[in-house]
Amino acid sequence: MVVKKPRIVIIGAGMAGLTAANKLYRTIGAKGGIELCVIEGGNRIGGRINTSEFGGDRIEMGATWIHGIGGSPVYKIAQEINSMESDQPWECMDGFLDDPITIAENGYVLNPSLIDPVSKFFNNLMDFAQGKRISIGNEFGNGNRIWNGNGNRSVGSFLRKGLEDYWELESRKGSEEVTGNWNRKLLEEAIFAMEENTQRYHTAAHDLYNLDYDAESEYIMCPGEEITIPKGYSSIIESLASILPCGVIQLGKKVCKIEWHPHFESYDGTRPVKLHFLDGTTLSADHVIVTVSLGVLKAGLRDSNDSGVLKFKPPLPDYKTEAISRLGYGVVNKLFMQPDQDLTDFDHFPFLQLVFHRSDSEVKNPKIPWWIRRTASVSPIYRESRVLLSWFAGEEALKLETLSDEVILDQVSTTLSTFLSNSSDSDEQWNGNVIKNSSKLNLVKVLKSKWGSDPLFLGSYSYVAVGSSCCDMDTLAEPLTTSGSHPLQILFAGEATHRTHYSTTHGAYFSGIREANRLLEHYQCMN
């Protein structure tokens, strides 16, 4: 009887899946030791990596940054394949980001003397929460006085308690008139909120009150500079996939059910796992590496008759479904915009930080829609670019996905115009200068990402929510099963399965290597 080669099927052709496939093929696949198959539900490879083009510039619809070049496998690959040089302009977000112009609602440019102390204090709070410093400041000691010790601790509650203590310790007149409808305390709170909104994009948490405080110090940043990839993030994906023979990657094959057997015994060569596809076909396997997003796994836990939702039969064990339920998974979207050619107020569009009135304020500008009020900035994607970029998270990001381009063009143009123009005749303000004589800013073209509504992802990336812990990511990474005559039937990879590098492409890469090595060790053919 001919002995069957082990068949390994990887679900998802994103960073985790292709990294695992690359490792397995280089180690034993090229020698004919296994049958390898990568199944992708979409019509392209890359997953949440998707390089595109807008206004003549190379842009990233999804993953954008190499978060620290020190020890980053993504940076190493980019160097090896010469992706760090490009003839085409790209979303490089160069040094001008260090010199923002901060404008309060209704057009008042804020003086750094007001912004810098608040931003510095916010950053000190975050550095303390992340274990990067042992004290917040001379007045605050080690930060413990900020906590009252009640309930689950969130990053949001820590930050807001810190702001209250900042006001208590600072000597000022909170009702001091600054300009227009602003007093000093309102401006400081709005600047603080701007920093919080930036943190929402970094973490994908809709609200920082949902973000677990204790987990912040477990997250590990790669050291060194944070940069983008001139030839595009997709060049990394294409490099990983390039060694795989034609036919290994199958596009347009969406898995809707995974059958596995906790106590499988086979004496006739039957494979223990069976994949059911939306098109009605099936595929059996000895091992399956599941790299779908945490959002897809969460959707599969909800009661649903939707045949397109991924289900397991039998259902995943309780300990694993509970971990999936507890962990956080959020939506972050990017909005690219192109102004008309008549924009003459600037040699190049500046990096604008936007300071809004609170959404419940009676003096907020009614022309600004709610979904824009929690974006923190708008900037060109490099100093001379005519492509502008803003980030949106949570409910605002989901709302953005539902709006037509025409509505976005109108509402964003109106909002930016309220910041870039002001009716005041005064040339000087207490808090800085007024941008005057600016006509309405007209945007002529927009492009948005839609990660929340895409059924293959249902969001952007994971975070540790209040009520969960990094241990839940370890639990999510545990394979099924670990014993019996056919162990390692289902393995799990992806950014949400990495305890210290979740939410990143390098975390996804590390998870793919981890699961490939797990199988290689099982077959005792590790390098």
Side-chain angles (χ1 to χ4, degrees):
M1 186 176 88
V2 177
V3 178
K4 290 183 179 180
K5 298 176 185 176
R7 180 182 292 161
I8 301 172
V9 177
I10 299 170
I11 302 176
M15 178 67 86
L18 290 178
T19 298
N22 181 285
K23 175 72 173 179
L24 288 167
Y25 183 78
R26 283 189 293 107
T27 308
I28 54 176
K31 304 170 187 175
I34 58 170
E35 289 184 30
L36 182 63
C37 185
V38 180
I39 300 298
E40 169 55 49
N43 58 7
R44 62 173 180 84
I45 63 173
R48 284 166 276 177
I49 293 172
N50 184 13
T51 303
S52 187
E53 186 175 305
F54 183 74
D57 293 340
R58 182 178 289 124
I59 61 168
E60 303 290 357
M61 299 298 289
T64 304
W65 298 92
I66 296 177
H67 290 289
I69 62 176
S72 169
V74 178
Y75 181 60
K76 182 179 179 182
I77 295 171
Q79 287 183 305
E80 290 172 350
I81 64 175
N82 297 317
S83 278
M84 299 311 297
E85 297 179 3
S86 173
D87 294 330
Q88 181 184 8
W90 78 97
E91 189 180 339
C92 66
M93 310 303 290
D94 53 9
F96 72 94
L97 294 179
D98 297 328
D99 189 24
I101 297 174
T102 304
I103 307 182
E105 188 172 331
N106 292 329
Y108 296 95
V109 179
L110 302 184
N111 195 296
S113 65
L114 177 63
I115 304 160
D116 293 349
V118 179
S119 294
K120 180 181 179 181
F121 182 67
F122 179 91
N123 291 329
N124 286 349
L125 287 171
M126 285 307 305
D127 284 348
F128 179 83
Q130 293 165 356
K132 298 175 184 175
R133 56 187 299 144
I134 60 174
S135 68
I136 296 169
N138 293 336
E139 303 93 338
F140 294 88
N142 64 8
N144 288 333
R145 69 182 298 275
I146 290 178
W147 285 114
N148 58 20
N150 294 328
N152 289 325
R153 305 202 297 181
S154 72
V155 170
S157 57
F158 171 74
L159 291 172
R160 281 289 154 160
K161 187 64 171 63
L163 180 60
E164 291 171 11
D165 285 6
Y166 176 81
W167 283 331
E168 184 179 321
L169 290 170
E170 288 288 315
S171 174
R172 70 165 55 82
K173 295 178 181 178
S175 59
E176 176 189 355
E177 178 89 2
V178 174
T179 189
N181 296 316
W182 294 98
N183 63 44
R184 182 170 184 132
K185 187 173 182 180
L186 283 175
L187 271 174
E188 288 179 337
E189 182 180 25
I191 294 165
F192 198 86
M194 177 187 72
E195 299 287 358
E196 288 177 312
N197 287 328
T198 300
Q199 200 62 31
R200 290 170 62 233
Y201 317 145
H202 292 168
T203 61
H206 163 63
D207 194 310
L208 297 183
Y209 284 94
N210 297 333
L211 188 64
D212 186 73
Y213 174 85
D214 295 313
E216 280 296 295
S217 58
E218 282 204 56
Y219 186 88
I220 296 176
M221 288 284 292
C222 288
E225 187 181 6
E226 294 191 78
I227 60 174
T228 58
I229 303 175
K231 280 197 172 73
Y233 239 112
S234 291
S235 66
I236 308 299
I237 289 295
E238 291 159 4
S239 173
L240 290 169
S242 64
I243 71 163
L244 301 177
C246 182
V248 168
I249 300 174
Q250 298 182 29
L251 300 178
K253 297 283 288 183
K254 186 174 183 182
V255 180
C256 56
K257 184 168 67 175
I258 302 175
E259 282 189 77
W260 61 291
H261 297 80
H263 309 291
F264 186 79
E265 297 291 342
S266 173
Y267 304 100
D268 60 359
T270 304
R271 304 185 196 272
V273 186
K274 189 175 185 180
L275 304 180
H276 296 256
F277 298 97
L278 203 55
D279 62 9
T281 60
T282 61
L283 178 66
S284 61
D286 295 283
H287 313 282
V288 173
I289 304 178
V290 177
T291 74
V292 300
S293 75
L294 178 59
V296 170
L297 293 176
K298 282 179 173 289
L301 299 185
R302 297 190 285 267
D303 292 332
S304 172
N305 295 321
D306 185 353
S307 60
V309 173
L310 178 63
K311 296 287 187 180
F312 291 83
K313 183 180 179 183
L316 296 174
D318 289 345
Y319 69 88
K320 195 173 279 286
T321 60
E322 289 165 3
I324 292 170
S325 297
R326 284 191 295 260
L327 286 168
Y329 183 73
V331 184
V332 176
N333 278 318
K334 301 171 74 173
L335 176 65
F336 296 95
M337 302 159 279
Q338 194 169 10
D340 64 22
Q341 296 297 320
D342 295 329
L343 182 65
T344 58
D345 294 293
F346 306 99
D347 293 332
H348 55 267
F349 198 92
F351 171 30
L352 295 182
Q353 294 188 142
L354 307 178
V355 175
F356 292 95
H357 280 295
R358 289 169 49 144
S359 58
D360 59 356
S361 171
E362 294 180 358
V363 297
K364 69 182 180 183
N365 190 324
K367 295 181 180 179
I368 300 176
W370 68 270
W371 62 272
I372 295 181
R373 287 191 167 274
R374 293 181 79 186
T375 191
S377 65
V378 57
S379 70
I381 61 172
Y382 56 87
R383 187 179 296 274
E384 305 297 334
S385 178
R386 296 193 62 82
V387 173
L388 309 181
L389 169 63
S390 285
W391 296 75
F392 295 82
E395 290 180 9
E396 296 81 14
L398 290 171
K399 178 65 176 178
L400 176 68
E401 296 187 23
T402 69
L403 299 175
S404 68
D405 286 358
E406 291 74 21
V407 169
I408 295 170
L409 284 167
D410 177 62
Q411 295 188 352
V412 177
S413 294
T414 298
T415 298
L416 291 179
S417 293
T418 68
F419 277 85
L420 295 175
S421 62
N422 191 277
S423 61
S424 172
D425 291 327
S426 173
D427 291 329
E428 292 186 0
Q429 299 290 336
W430 178 90
N431 59 319
N433 298 317
V434 180
I435 293 181
K436 296 167 59 177
N437 303 320
S438 293
S439 59
K440 177 178 167 65
L441 174 70
N442 288 313
L443 301 174
V444 295
K445 187 178 179 183
V446 293
L447 178 65
K448 63 189 176 186
S449 58
K450 297 195 243 183
W451 297 108
S453 55
D454 191 320
L456 294 175
F457 308 103
L458 298 174
S460 302
Y461 38 90
S462 63
Y463 63 92
V464 181
V466 170
S468 66
S469 72
C470 294
C471 294
D472 286 328
M473 290 176 167
D474 288 340
T475 299
L476 181 55
E478 291 180 17
L480 301 171
T481 61
T482 56
S483 60
S485 62
H486 289 75
L488 304 181
Q489 291 179 31
I490 305 177
L491 303 91
F492 295 85
E495 53 86 11
T497 70
H498 199 289
R499 183 180 185 119
T500 58
H501 291 292
Y502 55 89
S503 82
T504 66
T505 52
H506 60 266
Y509 179 98
F510 290 142
S511 75
I513 294 293
R514 179 193 67 215
E515 297 311 310
N517 284 342
R518 197 191 301 271
L519 287 173
L520 292 172
E521 187 173 15
H522 173 68
Y523 289 105
Q524 297 182 335
C525 47
M526 288 274 289
N527 282 340

